[in-house]
Amino acid sequence: YGLVPISLGLVGMLVFIIFSSRSNHRLALGLQFLTSFVSLVLIIWGWVLYPQTTPDNCEGDGDVNPRLLSLIFLIVGTVGIAITCSSHLQAVISGPPEWRPSASE
C-alpha cells in the first residue's frame, strides 16, 4: 500500500515532464491530476480500513509493527496529498503559464 502513492507520484511527474517538454500542458496536468486522485482514494481507503485493525491481529514475531507502519504511511500520505491538492488548486486558479501576466506588463 505505502509504495503505490509514492510510485504514482513519481510516474506522474515523469509523464508531466515528458508531455510538458512537448508543449502538451493540458494532457500533462490531466495525468498529474489523475495520479493525485488515485493517491487520494488510496489514502481515504487506508483511513477507512485502519480502525478495523487491532494490535492482536496485526502484530507478528517480526521486528516491524505493521499497524504502526501503516499509521505512519497514512499520516505522511495525508500530509503529502494535502500539499498536492493545494498545489493543483493553485494551478487551476492561476491558469496555464500562457494566461499569466508577464513581469513586463
Side-chain angles (χ1 to χ4, degrees), residues 31-105:
L31 288 173
Q32 190 177 19
F33 173 77
L34 179 66
T35 58
S36 298
F37 181 74
V38 170
S39 297
L40 177 66
V41 168
L42 289 173
I43 293 292
I44 292 171
W45 181 45
W47 280 115
V48 168
L49 291 181
Y50 181 77
Q52 299 173 5
T53 63
T54 62
D56 297 334
N57 65 4
C58 285
E59 293 178 5
D61 27 332
D63 291 336
V64 176
N65 182 349
R67 191 164 193 260
L68 179 62
L69 183 63
S70 64
L71 180 63
I72 292 170
F73 272 137
L74 285 172
I75 292 170
V76 170
T78 301
V79 170
I81 203 70
I83 293 169
T84 302
C85 286
S86 66
S87 68
H88 284 312
L89 184 61
Q90 180 184 6
V92 167
I93 290 172
S94 63
E98 58 269 8
W99 291 357
R100 297 182 197 143
S102 63
S104 62
E105 292 179 6

